[in-house]
Amino acid sequence: MSNDVVLDVRDLKLHFRTRKGSVQAVDGVSFQLKRGRTLAVVGESGCGKTSLVKAIMRLLPRNIEVYSGEVYFNGVDVMKYSDEQFRKEIRWKKMAMVPQASMNSLNPVIRIADQIAEPLLLHNKDMTKEKAMERVAEVFSIVGLPLDFLQRYPFELSGGMRQRATIAMALVTNPELVVLDEPSSALDLLTQANLMNVLKRIKHEMGTTFILITHDIGTASELADEIAVMYAGEMVERCSAEYFYDDARHPYSNKLMASVPTLREDKELQFIPGQPPSLINPPTGCRFAERCHKRFKKCAEHPPVVDVGHGQRVQCWLYDEEGEVKHA
Amino acid sequence: MPSTALKMQPETRQAMPILAVEDLHTWFEIRRMGFFKAGDVRALDGVSFELYAGETVSIVGESGCGKSTLAKTILGLHKPTKGKIYFEGKDLSELDKHQLKEYRAKVGYIQQDPYGALPSFMTVERILKEPMIINGITDKDEQKRRIRQVLEEVKLAPIEDFLPKFPHMLSGGQQQRLVIARAMILQPRLLIADEPVSMLDASVRVEILQLLQKLQYDHNLAIIYITHDLSTVRYFSERIFSMYGAKIIEKAATKSLLKNPLHPYTQALFEATSDPDAENLKTFKDVPTGEPPSLLNPPPGCRFHPRCRKMIKGLCDVEIPPEFQVTEDQSTACWLYKDHAQGK
Ligand SMILES: Nc1ncnc2c1ncn2[C@@H]1O[C@H](COP(=O)(O)OP(=O)(O)O)[C@@H](O)[C@H]1O
Ligand SMILES: Nc1ncnc2c1ncn2[C@@H]1O[C@H](COP(=O)(O)OP(=O)(O)O)[C@@H](O)[C@H]1O
Ligand SMILES: [Mg+2]
Ligand SMILES: [Mg+2]
């Protein structure tokens, strides 16, 4: 494995136990991510985006039914680590996460600077308070927060500023991989655009590897080198951004793109009839088949992942040789 | 959904506007310790426009700029501090109780959050009956007929399956359809849709926008579509009003605005909106930093001037810009266009 692959996820599964049955939120997801690249994970709400990154970060609820697969981080399968080892060596130190809506879950009674310093002090035993504060000031300027905000409380900051603070908190330990779960969807347009500028600058200047979760493909295109499309717990397409917007291959990706309104181009919008399947006992074949305009016989079986060139991987029978023959 | 599908019928222009809003102000008093008046939040601060039957207008602006306050003031949910609202030529402030009820029946309202808008303890059938009961439509057959008709129109089918359901049993898109059905049941002439799709996924968003478009067309409805998302408006409206700091700062035909936004704030909204494109990776967005103004202590002059790069010192920071008619179908409240004729 080439050593500029930071993250190599293989057949990752995360199923939740519920009264109604097992929810297959992440069901056999595999992908690689190279250092310094940004992967945007897109898909409708409920398709398993948050669950996927929680499975990678091992931030799990109690009701776990299945949690399996391999997660190679810098070539080491960290799924084999004990919880203790993972917490000490990986989470925060190597990979950090800005959870969904975290800008609203800052502690209201603790000053911003102290909150941002927390992961540092918690994860480095020999970190002094002064050194931590120096680093906090550093990440403050990286995310574009004025230094006189250091001693303020969360309520004294606007939404955009609080979101920058949560990103500063994720960056403070200088992790190699940062996961951003819907970082801008609660923000106003101009604030959102400013935040994307900040993230872009961090990406260029610090070479941070990002996983960006979003349901907004327009915003994703500001930062994403690669796009992963999730549908009903599976990653149905994985493609470099260069090709994705015009040349996605999975019928779901095509439909998804056709539903995205554009400001600068007058295109005909389409929606996808029907709804995604339940993640409890989902169809055994292709999970999108029921809504797919290109469905054929083969789709009743579970589709293979096919490499259609330049690293574009599609989980669809249309691109399988055998499938194509039968389809014709 | 071709954006050209929405051509306003020519005869509607000549008639009297269905809605006219004149110098509308809605201020909320803020009290300190529940007693001393500490000031006013000027949530709506001098808004005027006209809307014709069958016409669709989008109102865009970021949160807190007064969009919902405008909607609620038109609906009569807030009493304007100053200014007038005319519906079909009649001054709302002069209507009696009975006439006000009639007015409310003619104006449908689609609230921001579909789930919050629906009473969780009522079935679909009950939710749709409620407005009819309030408005004195008590004939059981008529009630049934109307419920059937609106559910068909919003495509909640088979109808019998949906009638006994509670809101939580519906998907987000179905809930929004129900909200729309409820807004349509009294056969309104004007629909005010406050961010009807902002909580929905892209595909469901398209579905709902197409549904609104069809209703607009079938019933020659006037629609005020409120959104913070500039990219959906081209598919929906003939005109756009851009709002900032409790004022409308640009009014334009959608086509013209999308080609050439005039106000620096509208330009910023435009720049900030990303279309999916791998080229976006290579450039930074040229958008103003800072925050929208406080509506408790708004800045003097143009409310955008503290963030505006084209600010003219001694003018923009001093005097409130009037509306300048820049082209036939585009006007803006911005001093950069002061050589053009002033609008009314
Ligand atoms: N702790 C949990 N227990 C049971 N189901 C869960 C749990 N967390 C998430 N889910 C379900 O898993 C599916 C995927 O959720 P999520 O990963 O949050 O999707 P997304 O982030 O794409 O919106 C959804 O059906 C959701 O309801
Ligand atoms: N009932 C109210 N009392 C006091 N302030 C209000 C009230 N409703 C809205 N506001 C304030 O008025 C301004 C405009 O709000 P709103 O009309 O909801 O904006 P938008 O819908 O554009 O987000 C905001 O500053 C908001 O906090
Ligand atoms: Mg999520
Ligand atoms: Mg609002």
Side-chain angles (χ1 to χ4, degrees):
Chain A
M1 187 172 53
S2 99
N3 61 1
D4 63 351
V5 172
V6 179
L7 191 67
D8 183 359
V9 174
R10 298 184 191 173
D11 200 25
L12 189 60
K13 288 186 183 173
L14 178 59
H15 298 180
F16 302 114
R17 195 176 346 99
T18 68
R19 262 191 304 151
K20 288 185 184 156
S22 173
V23 176
Q24 306 186 9
V26 181
D27 204 35
V29 167
S30 304
F31 68 92
Q32 291 190 350
L33 185 55
K34 289 197 174 139
R35 191 174 309 284
R37 307 276 286 177
T38 296
L39 172 72
V41 181
V42 301
E44 295 162 86
S45 56
C47 69
K49 304 182 295 294
T50 299
S51 301
L52 171 63
V53 290
K54 284 193 169 167
I56 294 169
M57 297 279 303
R58 220 194 274 192
L59 291 165
L60 305 173
R62 279 161 181 255
N63 58 328
I64 297 298
E65 175 111 0
V66 175
Y67 179 48
S68 66
E70 291 142 78
V71 176
Y72 290 91
F73 187 77
N74 290 329
V76 181
D77 183 6
V78 294
M79 283 291 274
K80 297 213 171 74
Y81 282 22
S82 68
D83 283 349
E84 174 76 3
Q85 192 181 5
F86 191 86
R87 192 171 50 77
K88 273 199 177 141
E89 295 176 23
I90 303 296
R91 200 188 306 130
W92 283 115
K93 268 198 167 169
K94 302 281 185 194
M95 25 169 140
M97 176 157 167
V98 179
Q100 203 163 350
S102 52
M103 63 186 226
N104 298 323
S105 46
L106 288 167
N107 190 327
V109 296
I110 300 179
R111 288 176 206 275
I112 296 289
D114 293 329
Q115 294 195 51
I116 295 180
E118 215 172 272
L120 263 188
L121 295 166
L122 224 65
H123 293 275
N124 297 20
K125 281 216 181 74
D126 36 50
M127 176 63 67
T128 63
K129 183 91 199 262
E130 274 122 61
K131 267 214 180 124
M133 283 304 155
E134 263 171 44
R135 175 66 186 153
V136 171
E138 230 172 84
V139 287
F140 245 63
S141 56
I142 290 170
V143 300
L145 279 172
L147 287 181
D148 57 308
F149 280 22
L150 280 167
Q151 297 310 318
R152 296 201 189 176
Y153 292 95
F155 75 88
E156 298 175 285
L157 272 58
S158 68
M161 290 298 161
R162 271 182 285 141
Q163 187 59 290
R164 287 179 192 218
T166 60
I167 290 166
M169 202 188 307
L171 292 174
V172 76
T173 51
N174 202 12
E176 291 171 45
L177 172 70
V178 174
V179 175
L180 306 161
D181 193 353
E182 307 265 7
S184 64
S185 52
L187 300 175
D188 269 321
L189 205 56
L190 300 191
T191 317
Q192 192 172 313
N194 277 308
L195 185 74
M196 293 321 279
N197 279 344
V198 166
L199 292 172
K200 217 179 259 185
R201 201 164 36 73
I202 293 170
K203 180 181 153 186
H204 289 315
E205 287 173 12
M206 304 175 46
T208 311
T209 311
F210 285 107
I211 296 180
L212 169 70
I213 294 180
T214 178
H215 59 257
D216 178 353
I217 297 177
T219 306
S221 76
E222 293 292 333
L223 206 63
D225 303 295
E226 344 240 334
I227 304 277
V229 181
M230 281 192 77
Y231 186 79
E234 298 181 322
M235 194 173 275
V236 296
E237 179 152 8
R238 169 101 163 65
C239 178
S240 87
E242 199 185 333
Y243 296 100
F244 183 78
Y245 310 115
D246 299 320
D247 198 20
R249 296 296 180 85
H250 196 286
Y252 175 65
S253 311
N254 296 139
K255 286 284 185 183
L256 195 62
M257 284 307 295
S259 72
V260 177
T262 47
L263 184 60
R264 293 161 187 86
E265 180 196 346
D266 195 6
K267 75 172 189 196
E268 194 152 327
L269 292 186
Q270 291 171 23
F271 62 88
I272 314 169
Q275 279 169 43
S278 160
L279 296 180
I280 300 171
N281 298 317
T284 49
C286 171
R287 293 183 181 181
F288 185 61
E290 196 195 301
R291 305 168 81 186
C292 184
H293 57 297
K294 292 188 173 163
R295 172 184 63 219
F296 62 111
K297 243 194 187 154
K298 199 80 188 152
C299 305
E301 290 167 45
H302 195 266
V305 175
V306 184
D307 194 324
V308 296
H310 47 78
Q312 188 167 4
R313 296 166 69 78
V314 191
Q315 184 178 310
C316 177
W317 283 114
L318 286 174
Y319 303 96
D320 184 75
E321 268 174 45
E322 190 192 351
E324 249 170 343
V325 172
K326 289 212 170 153
H327 186 40
Chain B
M1 182 157 64
S3 59
T4 45
L6 265 165
K7 271 278 173 293
M8 192 177 54
Q9 291 81 345
E11 71 269 20
T12 53
R13 269 278 185 235
Q14 299 142 19
M16 165 201 330
I18 187 169
L19 180 77
V21 161
E22 269 181 28
D23 197 30
L24 204 59
H25 292 69
T26 304
W27 293 9
F28 299 108
E29 200 173 296
I30 300 292
R31 287 177 181 278
R32 193 159 285 153
M33 301 189 297
F35 189 69
F36 299 104
K37 184 170 166 175
D40 292 300
V41 177
R42 304 178 178 192
L44 199 62
D45 211 22
V47 162
S48 306
F49 65 86
E50 288 173 351
L51 182 72
Y52 292 84
E55 193 189 12
T56 324
V57 159
S58 294
I59 298 181
V60 295
E62 296 177 282
S63 63
C65 73
K67 303 183 298 296
S68 294
T69 304
L70 174 59
K72 288 179 185 165
T73 307
I74 294 170
L75 286 156
L77 302 172
H78 295 312
K79 202 174 140 39
T81 314
K82 194 177 133 193
K84 294 272 187 211
I85 302 166
Y86 299 92
F87 188 78
E88 294 176 337
K90 290 197 201 84
D91 183 345
L92 283 199
S93 65
E94 286 168 10
L95 301 186
D96 62 29
K97 241 184 167 173
H98 176 73
Q99 288 169 315
L100 259 181
K101 210 175 195 177
E102 274 181 3
Y103 165 69
R104 291 214 173 116
K106 285 184 184 167
V107 186
Y109 179 35
I110 297 167
Q111 233 166 290
Q112 211 159 333
D113 156 26
Y115 191 67
L118 295 166
S120 57
F121 55 90
M122 284 190 195
T123 61
V124 169
E125 185 171 16
R126 181 75 207 172
I127 287 169
L128 293 176
K129 253 190 202 157
E130 200 76 0
M132 291 193 280
I133 294 169
I134 292 171
N135 280 275
I137 301 165
T138 48
D139 183 74
K140 290 272 182 278
D141 289 335
E142 174 66 7
Q143 286 182 353
K144 281 215 180 95
R145 195 188 62 77
R146 287 206 188 189
I147 288 176
R148 179 160 290 280
Q149 194 197 335
V150 287
L151 286 179
E152 257 165 29
E153 281 195 297
V154 302
K155 299 198 185 76
L156 284 178
I159 291 165
E160 274 65 34
D161 290 3
F162 281 98
L163 288 177
K165 283 196 175 161
F166 289 93
H168 73 266
M169 300 157 104
L170 307 177
S171 70
Q174 290 171 338
Q175 285 172 3
Q176 194 58 290
R177 283 167 190 279
L178 177 57
V179 172
I180 294 170
R182 181 177 62 180
M184 289 300 295
I185 199 130
L186 296 174
Q187 301 168 343
R189 302 309 310 141
L190 166 66
L191 208 57
I192 300 182
D194 192 354
E195 311 228 16
V197 294
S198 57
M199 317 261 286
L200 302 170
D201 277 312
S203 168
V204 186
R205 190 176 287 189
V206 175
E207 227 175 318
I208 297 291
L209 286 177
Q210 290 186 353
L211 170 63
L212 285 172
Q213 213 173 53
K214 185 164 183 335
L215 290 172
Q216 190 278 332
Y217 190 82
D218 290 351
H219 298 271
N220 195 32
L221 273 177
I223 298 187
I224 297 177
Y225 169 65
I226 294 175
T227 180
H228 60 258
D229 179 3
L230 200 53
S231 61
T232 57
V233 302
R234 78 172 315 141
Y235 299 96
F236 201 68
S237 65
E238 296 163 273
R239 282 199 292 161
I240 300 183
F241 299 161
S242 167
M243 265 186 96
Y244 188 79
K247 290 175 181 294
I248 291 179
I249 48 104
E250 181 160 355
K251 291 177 189 161
T254 302
K255 276 205 180 111
S256 308
L257 186 133
L258 293 180
K259 241 185 259 143
N260 185 27
L262 295 178
H263 196 286
Y265 175 67
T266 321
Q267 290 169 356
L269 281 183
F270 205 90
E271 167 73 12
T273 305
S274 308
D275 288 336
D277 187 344
E279 292 296 308
N280 290 342
L281 272 171
K282 298 175 188 160
T283 53
F284 287 89
K285 289 220 169 278
D286 184 17
V287 287
T289 53
E291 310 284 336
S294 149
L295 297 180
L296 197 56
N297 283 307
C302 170
R303 294 197 172 161
F304 190 60
H305 89 258
R307 302 171 79 183
C308 185
R309 219 170 298 138
K310 295 176 183 159
M311 198 261 282
I312 306 164
K313 256 200 139 67
L315 182 60
C316 300
D317 51 346
V318 178
E319 239 180 296
I320 295 174
E323 201 173 303
F324 295 103
Q325 194 70 40
V326 180
T327 66
E328 198 187 330
D329 61 11
Q330 203 165 4
S331 67
T332 183
C334 172
W335 284 119
L336 292 174
Y337 303 91
K338 62 179 186 295
D339 295 339
H340 294 271
Q342 274 189 34
K344 49 181 161 86

